[in-house]
PDB file of all heavy atoms in Angstrom:
ATOM      1  N   PRO A   1       9.863  -4.283  -2.324  1.00 97.00           N
ATOM      2  CA  PRO A   1       9.680  -4.786  -3.681  1.00 97.00           C
ATOM      3  C   PRO A   1      10.200  -3.843  -4.721  1.00 97.00           C
ATOM      4  O   PRO A   1      10.020  -2.610  -4.641  1.00 97.00           O
ATOM      5  CB  PRO A   1       8.147  -4.943  -3.886  1.00 97.00           C
ATOM      6  CG  PRO A   1       7.660  -5.150  -2.484  1.00 97.00           C
ATOM      7  CD  PRO A   1       8.422  -4.212  -1.681  1.00 97.00           C
ATOM      8  N   ARG A   2      10.886  -4.391  -5.736  1.00 95.00           N
ATOM      9  CA  ARG A   2      11.503  -3.534  -6.774  1.00 95.00           C
ATOM     10  C   ARG A   2      10.366  -2.949  -7.606  1.00 95.00           C
ATOM     11  O   ARG A   2      10.458  -1.846  -7.996  1.00 95.00           O
ATOM     12  CB  ARG A   2      12.333  -4.365  -7.699  1.00 95.00           C
ATOM     13  CG  ARG A   2      13.657  -4.784  -7.010  1.00 95.00           C
ATOM     14  CD  ARG A   2      14.642  -5.512  -7.881  1.00 95.00           C
ATOM     15  NE  ARG A   2      15.866  -6.051  -7.225  1.00 95.00           N
ATOM     16  CZ  ARG A   2      16.721  -6.733  -7.984  1.00 95.00           C
ATOM     17  NH1 ARG A   2      16.605  -6.937  -9.200  1.00 95.00           N
ATOM     18  NH2 ARG A   2      17.880  -6.989  -7.313  1.00 95.00           N
ATOM     19  N   GLN A   3       9.257  -3.709  -7.933  1.00 96.00           N
ATOM     20  CA  GLN A   3       8.219  -3.242  -8.616  1.00 96.00           C
ATOM     21  C   GLN A   3       7.308  -2.365  -7.799  1.00 96.00           C
ATOM     22  O   GLN A   3       6.804  -2.875  -6.793  1.00 96.00           O
ATOM     23  CB  GLN A   3       7.373  -4.285  -9.312  1.00 96.00           C
ATOM     24  CG  GLN A   3       8.139  -5.143 -10.442  1.00 96.00           C
ATOM     25  CD  GLN A   3       9.297  -5.966 -10.003  1.00 96.00           C
ATOM     26  OE1 GLN A   3       9.213  -6.474  -8.935  1.00 96.00           O
ATOM     27  NE2 GLN A   3      10.325  -6.016 -10.746  1.00 96.00           N
ATOM     28  N   GLY A   4       7.089  -1.117  -8.151  1.00 95.00           N
ATOM     29  CA  GLY A   4       6.333  -0.193  -7.321  1.00 95.00           C
ATOM     30  C   GLY A   4       4.916  -0.603  -7.109  1.00 95.00           C
ATOM     31  O   GLY A   4       4.335  -0.113  -6.172  1.00 95.00           O
ATOM     32  N   ASP A   5       4.386  -1.361  -7.967  1.00 97.00           N
ATOM     33  CA  ASP A   5       2.909  -1.718  -7.802  1.00 97.00           C
ATOM     34  C   ASP A   5       2.720  -3.005  -7.015  1.00 97.00           C
ATOM     35  O   ASP A   5       1.626  -3.460  -6.799  1.00 97.00           O
ATOM     36  CB  ASP A   5       2.219  -1.874  -9.136  1.00 97.00           C
ATOM     37  CG  ASP A   5       2.806  -2.818 -10.008  1.00 97.00           C
ATOM     38  OD1 ASP A   5       3.866  -3.425  -9.766  1.00 97.00           O
ATOM     39  OD2 ASP A   5       2.245  -3.155 -11.085  1.00 97.00           O
ATOM     40  N   THR A   6       3.751  -3.708  -6.566  1.00 98.00           N
ATOM     41  CA  THR A   6       3.743  -4.939  -5.782  1.00 98.00           C
ATOM     42  C   THR A   6       3.221  -4.757  -4.423  1.00 98.00           C
ATOM     43  O   THR A   6       3.734  -3.981  -3.746  1.00 98.00           O
ATOM     44  CB  THR A   6       5.112  -5.611  -5.686  1.00 98.00           C
ATOM     45  OG1 THR A   6       5.485  -5.875  -7.068  1.00 98.00           O
ATOM     46  CG2 THR A   6       4.976  -6.955  -4.986  1.00 98.00           C
ATOM     47  N   PRO A   7       2.124  -5.396  -3.997  1.00 98.00           N
ATOM     48  CA  PRO A   7       1.659  -5.258  -2.610  1.00 98.00           C
ATOM     49  C   PRO A   7       2.697  -5.734  -1.611  1.00 98.00           C
ATOM     50  O   PRO A   7       3.527  -6.710  -1.907  1.00 98.00           O
ATOM     51  CB  PRO A   7       0.401  -6.180  -2.535  1.00 98.00           C
ATOM     52  CG  PRO A   7       0.001  -6.431  -3.899  1.00 98.00           C
ATOM     53  CD  PRO A   7       1.309  -6.376  -4.771  1.00 98.00           C
ATOM     54  N   MET A   8       2.726  -5.199  -0.353  1.00 98.00           N
ATOM     55  CA  MET A   8       3.773  -5.524   0.615  1.00 98.00           C
ATOM     56  C   MET A   8       2.986  -5.761   1.933  1.00 98.00           C
ATOM     57  O   MET A   8       2.319  -4.884   2.402  1.00 98.00           O
ATOM     58  CB  MET A   8       4.684  -4.436   0.727  1.00 98.00           C
ATOM     59  CG  MET A   8       5.885  -4.641   1.728  1.00 98.00           C
ATOM     60  SD  MET A   8       7.217  -3.323   1.580  1.00 98.00           S
ATOM     61  CE  MET A   8       6.192  -1.822   2.017  1.00 98.00           C
ATOM     62  N   ILE A   9       3.284  -6.866   2.554  1.00 98.00           N
ATOM     63  CA  ILE A   9       2.776  -7.151   3.936  1.00 98.00           C
ATOM     64  C   ILE A   9       3.996  -7.248   4.919  1.00 98.00           C
ATOM     65  O   ILE A   9       4.931  -8.000   4.577  1.00 98.00           O
ATOM     66  CB  ILE A   9       2.075  -8.547   3.950  1.00 98.00           C
ATOM     67  CG1 ILE A   9       0.836  -8.603   2.891  1.00 98.00           C
ATOM     68  CG2 ILE A   9       1.483  -8.805   5.279  1.00 98.00           C
ATOM     69  CD1 ILE A   9       0.256  -9.930   2.605  1.00 98.00           C
ATOM     70  N   MET A  10       3.918  -6.595   6.011  1.00 98.00           N
ATOM     71  CA  MET A  10       4.945  -6.463   6.927  1.00 98.00           C
ATOM     72  C   MET A  10       4.542  -6.849   8.237  1.00 98.00           C
ATOM     73  O   MET A  10       3.573  -6.262   8.856  1.00 98.00           O
ATOM     74  CB  MET A  10       5.570  -5.054   6.967  1.00 98.00           C
ATOM     75  CG  MET A  10       5.990  -4.521   5.578  1.00 98.00           C
ATOM     76  SD  MET A  10       6.049  -2.707   5.516  1.00 98.00           S
ATOM     77  CE  MET A  10       4.277  -2.308   5.372  1.00 98.00           C
ATOM     78  N   VAL A  11       5.227  -7.785   8.939  1.00 98.00           N
ATOM     79  CA  VAL A  11       4.909  -8.210  10.353  1.00 98.00           C
ATOM     80  C   VAL A  11       6.147  -7.785  11.172  1.00 98.00           C
ATOM     81  O   VAL A  11       7.177  -8.343  11.118  1.00 98.00           O
ATOM     82  CB  VAL A  11       4.742  -9.693  10.450  1.00 98.00           C
ATOM     83  CG1 VAL A  11       4.278  -9.999  11.881  1.00 98.00           C
ATOM     84  CG2 VAL A  11       3.517 -10.114   9.512  1.00 98.00           C
ATOM     85  N   GLY A  12       6.018  -6.717  12.007  1.00 98.00           N
ATOM     86  CA  GLY A  12       7.054  -6.152  12.773  1.00 98.00           C
ATOM     87  C   GLY A  12       6.594  -5.691  14.199  1.00 98.00           C
ATOM     88  O   GLY A  12       6.622  -4.546  14.414  1.00 98.00           O
ATOM     89  N   PRO A  13       6.438  -6.601  15.135  1.00 98.00           N
ATOM     90  CA  PRO A  13       6.128  -6.190  16.498  1.00 98.00           C
ATOM     91  C   PRO A  13       7.356  -5.570  17.091  1.00 98.00           C
ATOM     92  O   PRO A  13       8.440  -6.016  16.829  1.00 98.00           O
ATOM     93  CB  PRO A  13       5.634  -7.528  17.102  1.00 98.00           C
ATOM     94  CG  PRO A  13       6.344  -8.636  16.309  1.00 98.00           C
ATOM     95  CD  PRO A  13       6.406  -8.120  14.885  1.00 98.00           C
ATOM     96  N   GLY A  14       7.096  -4.774  18.131  1.00 97.00           N
ATOM     97  CA  GLY A  14       8.180  -4.272  18.959  1.00 97.00           C
ATOM     98  C   GLY A  14       9.149  -3.445  18.122  1.00 97.00           C
ATOM     99  O   GLY A  14       8.739  -2.723  17.168  1.00 97.00           O
ATOM    100  N   THR A  15      10.478  -3.616  18.344  1.00 97.00           N
ATOM    101  CA  THR A  15      11.432  -2.815  17.562  1.00 97.00           C
ATOM    102  C   THR A  15      11.509  -3.451  16.215  1.00 97.00           C
ATOM    103  O   THR A  15      12.229  -2.808  15.331  1.00 97.00           O
ATOM    104  CB  THR A  15      12.775  -2.844  18.324  1.00 97.00           C
ATOM    105  OG1 THR A  15      13.124  -4.261  18.525  1.00 97.00           O
ATOM    106  CG2 THR A  15      12.721  -2.136  19.551  1.00 97.00           C
ATOM    107  N   GLY A  16      10.885  -4.587  15.971  1.00 98.00           N
ATOM    108  CA  GLY A  16      10.779  -5.040  14.590  1.00 98.00           C
ATOM    109  C   GLY A  16      10.129  -4.190  13.504  1.00 98.00           C
ATOM    110  O   GLY A  16      10.244  -4.412  12.310  1.00 98.00           O
ATOM    111  N   VAL A  17       9.533  -3.140  14.109  1.00 98.00           N
ATOM    112  CA  VAL A  17       8.938  -2.242  13.118  1.00 98.00           C
ATOM    113  C   VAL A  17       9.854  -1.350  12.424  1.00 98.00           C
ATOM    114  O   VAL A  17       9.590  -0.721  11.387  1.00 98.00           O
ATOM    115  CB  VAL A  17       7.800  -1.319  13.959  1.00 98.00           C
ATOM    116  CG1 VAL A  17       8.613  -0.318  14.792  1.00 98.00           C
ATOM    117  CG2 VAL A  17       6.880  -0.640  12.971  1.00 98.00           C
ATOM    118  N   ALA A  18      11.059  -1.270  12.907  1.00 98.00           N
ATOM    119  CA  ALA A  18      12.064  -0.344  12.398  1.00 98.00           C
ATOM    120  C   ALA A  18      12.317  -0.356  10.897  1.00 98.00           C
ATOM    121  O   ALA A  18      12.234   0.611  10.178  1.00 98.00           O
ATOM    122  CB  ALA A  18      13.468  -0.596  13.191  1.00 98.00           C
ATOM    123  N   PRO A  19      12.640  -1.540  10.318  1.00 98.00           N
ATOM    124  CA  PRO A  19      12.960  -1.550   8.808  1.00 98.00           C
ATOM    125  C   PRO A  19      11.599  -1.300   8.058  1.00 98.00           C
ATOM    126  O   PRO A  19      11.732  -0.765   6.932  1.00 98.00           O
ATOM    127  CB  PRO A  19      13.352  -2.975   8.586  1.00 98.00           C
ATOM    128  CG  PRO A  19      12.793  -3.847   9.675  1.00 98.00           C
ATOM    129  CD  PRO A  19      12.861  -2.997  10.908  1.00 98.00           C
ATOM    130  N   PHE A  20      10.491  -1.530   8.587  1.00 98.00           N
ATOM    131  CA  PHE A  20       9.197  -1.209   7.910  1.00 98.00           C
ATOM    132  C   PHE A  20       8.885   0.171   7.855  1.00 98.00           C
ATOM    133  O   PHE A  20       8.235   0.694   6.873  1.00 98.00           O
ATOM    134  CB  PHE A  20       8.192  -2.116   8.389  1.00 98.00           C
ATOM    135  CG  PHE A  20       8.500  -3.635   8.427  1.00 98.00           C
ATOM    136  CD1 PHE A  20       8.155  -4.406   9.452  1.00 98.00           C
ATOM    137  CD2 PHE A  20       9.150  -4.131   7.301  1.00 98.00           C
ATOM    138  CE1 PHE A  20       8.480  -5.744   9.418  1.00 98.00           C
ATOM    139  CE2 PHE A  20       9.528  -5.477   7.191  1.00 98.00           C
ATOM    140  CZ  PHE A  20       9.145  -6.251   8.285  1.00 98.00           C
ATOM    141  N   ARG A  21       9.312   0.860   8.860  1.00 98.00           N
ATOM    142  CA  ARG A  21       9.289   2.421   8.787  1.00 98.00           C
ATOM    143  C   ARG A  21      10.134   2.782   7.596  1.00 98.00           C
ATOM    144  O   ARG A  21       9.669   3.661   6.814  1.00 98.00           O
ATOM    145  CB  ARG A  21       9.750   2.968  10.058  1.00 98.00           C
ATOM    146  CG  ARG A  21       9.746   4.659  10.187  1.00 98.00           C
ATOM    147  CD  ARG A  21      10.256   4.953  11.478  1.00 98.00           C
ATOM    148  NE  ARG A  21      10.136   6.445  11.653  1.00 98.00           N
ATOM    149  CZ  ARG A  21      11.040   7.271  11.552  1.00 98.00           C
ATOM    150  NH1 ARG A  21      12.429   6.858  11.352  1.00 98.00           N
ATOM    151  NH2 ARG A  21      10.943   8.573  11.760  1.00 98.00           N
ATOM    152  N   ALA A  22      11.339   2.301   7.381  1.00 98.00           N
ATOM    153  CA  ALA A  22      12.250   2.670   6.333  1.00 98.00           C
ATOM    154  C   ALA A  22      11.545   2.286   4.979  1.00 98.00           C
ATOM    155  O   ALA A  22      11.713   2.939   4.052  1.00 98.00           O
ATOM    156  CB  ALA A  22      13.520   1.990   6.442  1.00 98.00           C
ATOM    157  N   PHE A  23      11.026   0.972   4.943  1.00 98.00           N
ATOM    158  CA  PHE A  23      10.330   0.624   3.688  1.00 98.00           C
ATOM    159  C   PHE A  23       9.197   1.438   3.299  1.00 98.00           C
ATOM    160  O   PHE A  23       9.170   1.906   1.990  1.00 98.00           O
ATOM    161  CB  PHE A  23       9.633  -0.799   3.926  1.00 98.00           C
ATOM    162  CG  PHE A  23      10.656  -1.981   3.845  1.00 98.00           C
ATOM    163  CD1 PHE A  23      11.998  -1.775   4.057  1.00 98.00           C
ATOM    164  CD2 PHE A  23      10.197  -3.195   3.667  1.00 98.00           C
ATOM    165  CE1 PHE A  23      12.880  -2.787   3.990  1.00 98.00           C
ATOM    166  CE2 PHE A  23      11.114  -4.246   3.602  1.00 98.00           C
ATOM    167  CZ  PHE A  23      12.438  -4.074   3.783  1.00 98.00           C
ATOM    168  N   LEU A  24       8.409   1.943   4.168  1.00 98.00           N
ATOM    169  CA  LEU A  24       7.258   2.880   3.831  1.00 98.00           C
ATOM    170  C   LEU A  24       7.789   4.218   3.407  1.00 98.00           C
ATOM    171  O   LEU A  24       7.314   4.929   2.453  1.00 98.00           O
ATOM    172  CB  LEU A  24       6.363   3.128   5.068  1.00 98.00           C
ATOM    173  CG  LEU A  24       5.594   1.844   5.421  1.00 98.00           C
ATOM    174  CD1 LEU A  24       4.904   2.058   6.763  1.00 98.00           C
ATOM    175  CD2 LEU A  24       4.429   1.614   4.401  1.00 98.00           C
ATOM    176  N   GLN A  25       8.920   4.744   4.018  1.00 98.00           N
ATOM    177  CA  GLN A  25       9.474   6.060   3.598  1.00 98.00           C
ATOM    178  C   GLN A  25      10.102   5.820   2.210  1.00 98.00           C
ATOM    179  O   GLN A  25      10.004   6.724   1.300  1.00 98.00           O
ATOM    180  CB  GLN A  25      10.667   6.407   4.544  1.00 98.00           C
ATOM    181  CG  GLN A  25      10.068   6.802   5.883  1.00 98.00           C
ATOM    182  CD  GLN A  25      11.245   7.195   6.925  1.00 98.00           C
ATOM    183  OE1 GLN A  25      12.445   7.146   6.508  1.00 98.00           O
ATOM    184  NE2 GLN A  25      10.919   7.551   8.151  1.00 98.00           N
ATOM    185  N   GLU A  26      10.625   4.681   1.932  1.00 98.00           N
ATOM    186  CA  GLU A  26      11.303   4.357   0.558  1.00 98.00           C
ATOM    187  C   GLU A  26      10.195   4.424  -0.493  1.00 98.00           C
ATOM    188  O   GLU A  26      10.388   4.957  -1.513  1.00 98.00           O
ATOM    189  CB  GLU A  26      12.116   3.015   0.650  1.00 98.00           C
ATOM    190  CG  GLU A  26      12.763   2.622  -0.639  1.00 98.00           C
ATOM    191  CD  GLU A  26      14.013   3.429  -0.824  1.00 98.00           C
ATOM    192  OE1 GLU A  26      14.530   4.172   0.011  1.00 98.00           O
ATOM    193  OE2 GLU A  26      14.653   3.152  -1.948  1.00 98.00           O
ATOM    194  N   ARG A  27       9.158   3.689  -0.175  1.00 98.00           N
ATOM    195  CA  ARG A  27       8.042   3.628  -1.201  1.00 98.00           C
ATOM    196  C   ARG A  27       7.404   4.923  -1.485  1.00 98.00           C
ATOM    197  O   ARG A  27       7.124   5.285  -2.665  1.00 98.00           O
ATOM    198  CB  ARG A  27       7.031   2.586  -0.783  1.00 98.00           C
ATOM    199  CG  ARG A  27       7.557   1.139  -0.580  1.00 98.00           C
ATOM    200  CD  ARG A  27       6.361   0.202  -0.778  1.00 98.00           C
ATOM    201  NE  ARG A  27       6.326  -0.244  -2.057  1.00 98.00           N
ATOM    202  CZ  ARG A  27       5.435  -1.238  -2.456  1.00 98.00           C
ATOM    203  NH1 ARG A  27       4.703  -1.918  -1.617  1.00 98.00           N
ATOM    204  NH2 ARG A  27       5.374  -1.617  -3.718  1.00 98.00           N
ATOM    205  N   ARG A  28       7.320   5.811  -0.558  1.00 98.00           N
ATOM    206  CA  ARG A  28       6.778   7.087  -0.698  1.00 98.00           C
ATOM    207  C   ARG A  28       7.697   7.935  -1.574  1.00 98.00           C
ATOM    208  O   ARG A  28       7.324   8.596  -2.478  1.00 98.00           O
ATOM    209  CB  ARG A  28       6.413   7.809   0.642  1.00 98.00           C
ATOM    210  CG  ARG A  28       6.319   9.288   0.545  1.00 98.00           C
ATOM    211  CD  ARG A  28       5.390   9.834   1.610  1.00 98.00           C
ATOM    212  NE  ARG A  28       3.972   9.578   1.264  1.00 98.00           N
ATOM    213  CZ  ARG A  28       2.984   9.687   2.175  1.00 98.00           C
ATOM    214  NH1 ARG A  28       3.202  10.162   3.298  1.00 98.00           N
ATOM    215  NH2 ARG A  28       1.715   9.389   1.836  1.00 98.00           N
ATOM    216  N   ALA A  29       8.951   7.833  -1.096  1.00 98.00           N
ATOM    217  CA  ALA A  29      10.014   8.666  -1.879  1.00 98.00           C
ATOM    218  C   ALA A  29      10.054   8.265  -3.421  1.00 98.00           C
ATOM    219  O   ALA A  29      10.326   9.025  -4.234  1.00 98.00           O
ATOM    220  CB  ALA A  29      11.362   8.634  -1.226  1.00 98.00           C
ATOM    221  N   ARG A  30       9.881   6.855  -3.654  1.00 98.00           N
ATOM    222  CA  ARG A  30       9.908   6.437  -4.997  1.00 98.00           C
ATOM    223  C   ARG A  30       8.673   6.664  -5.768  1.00 98.00           C
ATOM    224  O   ARG A  30       8.611   6.475  -6.979  1.00 98.00           O
ATOM    225  CB  ARG A  30      10.298   4.943  -4.967  1.00 98.00           C
ATOM    226  CG  ARG A  30      11.629   4.623  -4.477  1.00 98.00           C
ATOM    227  CD  ARG A  30      12.095   3.181  -4.647  1.00 98.00           C
ATOM    228  NE  ARG A  30      11.046   2.225  -4.532  1.00 98.00           N
ATOM    229  CZ  ARG A  30      11.175   0.910  -4.271  1.00 98.00           C
ATOM    230  NH1 ARG A  30      12.440   0.536  -4.101  1.00 98.00           N
ATOM    231  NH2 ARG A  30      10.312   0.047  -4.166  1.00 98.00           N
ATOM    232  N   GLY A  31       7.564   7.037  -5.088  1.00 97.00           N
ATOM    233  CA  GLY A  31       6.249   7.204  -5.647  1.00 97.00           C
ATOM    234  C   GLY A  31       5.647   5.847  -6.042  1.00 97.00           C
ATOM    235  O   GLY A  31       4.761   5.809  -6.975  1.00 97.00           O
ATOM    236  N   ASP A  32       5.853   4.796  -5.334  1.00 98.00           N
ATOM    237  CA  ASP A  32       5.349   3.513  -5.606  1.00 98.00           C
ATOM    238  C   ASP A  32       3.868   3.536  -5.296  1.00 98.00           C
ATOM    239  O   ASP A  32       3.360   4.128  -4.343  1.00 98.00           O
ATOM    240  CB  ASP A  32       6.019   2.476  -4.674  1.00 98.00           C
ATOM    241  CG  ASP A  32       7.369   2.179  -5.052  1.00 98.00           C
ATOM    242  OD1 ASP A  32       7.895   2.722  -6.022  1.00 98.00           O
ATOM    243  OD2 ASP A  32       8.148   1.414  -4.331  1.00 98.00           O
ATOM    244  N   GLY A  33       3.154   2.829  -6.118  1.00 97.00           N
ATOM    245  CA  GLY A  33       1.643   2.788  -5.903  1.00 97.00           C
ATOM    246  C   GLY A  33       1.143   1.456  -5.292  1.00 97.00           C
ATOM    247  O   GLY A  33      -0.079   1.325  -5.135  1.00 97.00           O
ATOM    248  N   GLY A  34       2.078   0.522  -4.864  1.00 98.00           N
ATOM    249  CA  GLY A  34       1.604  -0.734  -4.405  1.00 98.00           C
ATOM    250  C   GLY A  34       1.038  -0.512  -2.983  1.00 98.00           C
ATOM    251  O   GLY A  34       1.458   0.334  -2.235  1.00 98.00           O
ATOM    252  N   ARG A  35       0.144  -1.501  -2.710  1.00 98.00           N
ATOM    253  CA  ARG A  35      -0.607  -1.403  -1.342  1.00 98.00           C
ATOM    254  C   ARG A  35       0.443  -1.873  -0.297  1.00 98.00           C
ATOM    255  O   ARG A  35       1.217  -2.750  -0.515  1.00 98.00           O
ATOM    256  CB  ARG A  35      -1.770  -2.302  -1.416  1.00 98.00           C
ATOM    257  CG  ARG A  35      -2.917  -1.712  -2.232  1.00 98.00           C
ATOM    258  CD  ARG A  35      -4.028  -2.749  -2.418  1.00 98.00           C
ATOM    259  NE  ARG A  35      -3.517  -3.946  -3.148  1.00 98.00           N
ATOM    260  CZ  ARG A  35      -4.052  -5.131  -2.986  1.00 98.00           C
ATOM    261  NH1 ARG A  35      -5.129  -5.280  -2.153  1.00 98.00           N
ATOM    262  NH2 ARG A  35      -3.631  -6.109  -3.707  1.00 98.00           N
ATOM    263  N   ASN A  36       0.165  -1.387   0.954  1.00 98.00           N
ATOM    264  CA  ASN A  36       1.016  -1.682   2.069  1.00 98.00           C
ATOM    265  C   ASN A  36       0.225  -2.052   3.363  1.00 98.00           C
ATOM    266  O   ASN A  36      -0.644  -1.329   3.709  1.00 98.00           O
ATOM    267  CB  ASN A  36       2.016  -0.476   2.385  1.00 98.00           C
ATOM    268  CG  ASN A  36       2.864  -0.093   1.208  1.00 98.00           C
ATOM    269  OD1 ASN A  36       3.662  -0.830   0.646  1.00 98.00           O
ATOM    270  ND2 ASN A  36       2.565   1.135   0.758  1.00 98.00           N
ATOM    271  N   TRP A  37       0.653  -3.168   3.974  1.00 98.00           N
ATOM    272  CA  TRP A  37      -0.218  -3.695   5.125  1.00 98.00           C
ATOM    273  C   TRP A  37       0.889  -4.023   6.301  1.00 98.00           C
ATOM    274  O   TRP A  37       1.781  -4.747   5.987  1.00 98.00           O
ATOM    275  CB  TRP A  37      -0.853  -4.950   4.700  1.00 98.00           C
ATOM    276  CG  TRP A  37      -1.772  -5.468   5.743  1.00 98.00           C
ATOM    277  CD1 TRP A  37      -1.943  -5.167   7.070  1.00 98.00           C
ATOM    278  CD2 TRP A  37      -2.730  -6.535   5.515  1.00 98.00           C
ATOM    279  NE1 TRP A  37      -2.894  -5.913   7.699  1.00 98.00           N
ATOM    280  CE2 TRP A  37      -3.432  -6.825   6.735  1.00 98.00           C
ATOM    281  CE3 TRP A  37      -3.064  -7.312   4.407  1.00 98.00           C
ATOM    282  CZ2 TRP A  37      -4.343  -7.795   6.883  1.00 98.00           C
ATOM    283  CZ3 TRP A  37      -4.028  -8.356   4.537  1.00 98.00           C
ATOM    284  CH2 TRP A  37      -4.733  -8.559   5.772  1.00 98.00           C
ATOM    285  N   LEU A  38       0.688  -3.333   7.342  1.00 98.00           N
ATOM    286  CA  LEU A  38       1.614  -3.559   8.471  1.00 98.00           C
ATOM    287  C   LEU A  38       0.830  -4.087   9.674  1.00 98.00           C
ATOM    288  O   LEU A  38      -0.209  -3.652  10.087  1.00 98.00           O
ATOM    289  CB  LEU A  38       2.147  -2.221   8.947  1.00 98.00           C
ATOM    290  CG  LEU A  38       3.022  -2.210  10.246  1.00 98.00           C
ATOM    291  CD1 LEU A  38       4.290  -3.060  10.042  1.00 98.00           C
ATOM    292  CD2 LEU A  38       3.507  -0.760  10.680  1.00 98.00           C
ATOM    293  N   PHE A  39       1.366  -5.193  10.299  1.00 98.00           N
ATOM    294  CA  PHE A  39       1.013  -5.765  11.487  1.00 98.00           C
ATOM    295  C   PHE A  39       2.011  -5.320  12.571  1.00 98.00           C
ATOM    296  O   PHE A  39       3.137  -5.691  12.475  1.00 98.00           O
ATOM    297  CB  PHE A  39       0.979  -7.206  11.527  1.00 98.00           C
ATOM    298  CG  PHE A  39      -0.135  -7.832  10.548  1.00 98.00           C
ATOM    299  CD1 PHE A  39       0.116  -8.082   9.256  1.00 98.00           C
ATOM    300  CD2 PHE A  39      -1.334  -8.278  11.076  1.00 98.00           C
ATOM    301  CE1 PHE A  39      -0.851  -8.676   8.498  1.00 98.00           C
ATOM    302  CE2 PHE A  39      -2.349  -8.768  10.354  1.00 98.00           C
ATOM    303  CZ  PHE A  39      -2.152  -9.056   8.921  1.00 98.00           C
ATOM    304  N   PHE A  40       1.528  -4.648  13.635  1.00 98.00           N
ATOM    305  CA  PHE A  40       2.425  -4.195  14.674  1.00 98.00           C
ATOM    306  C   PHE A  40       1.882  -4.584  16.023  1.00 98.00           C
ATOM    307  O   PHE A  40       0.688  -4.581  16.203  1.00 98.00           O
ATOM    308  CB  PHE A  40       2.621  -2.699  14.681  1.00 98.00           C
ATOM    309  CG  PHE A  40       3.375  -2.163  15.761  1.00 98.00           C
ATOM    310  CD1 PHE A  40       4.657  -2.299  15.919  1.00 98.00           C
ATOM    311  CD2 PHE A  40       2.651  -1.463  16.894  1.00 98.00           C
ATOM    312  CE1 PHE A  40       5.438  -1.803  16.970  1.00 98.00           C
ATOM    313  CE2 PHE A  40       3.335  -1.053  18.059  1.00 98.00           C
ATOM    314  CZ  PHE A  40       4.730  -1.214  18.026  1.00 98.00           C
TER     315      PHE A  40
END
């Protein structure tokens, strides 16, 4: 999400987790405060 405070739900089983690892790194680097939920 462009807005840093927007919650994010990610469903990424198996190798589908790959982009969500990137998403979490991106949100940390940007200092986003939005909540993040991962189903793996």
Side-chain angles (χ1 to χ4, degrees):
R2 292 183 179 180
Q3 289 72 33
D5 59 350
T6 300
M8 179 171 66
I9 303 168
M10 302 159 285
V11 183
T15 56
V17 73
F20 303 135
R21 180 177 184 259
F23 281 19
L24 291 167
Q25 291 178 1
E26 181 80 3
R27 298 203 91 176
R28 163 151 285 172
R30 294 191 321 204
D32 292 353
R35 292 170 296 154
N36 305 297
W37 186 350
L38 174 65
F39 290 90
F40 172 76

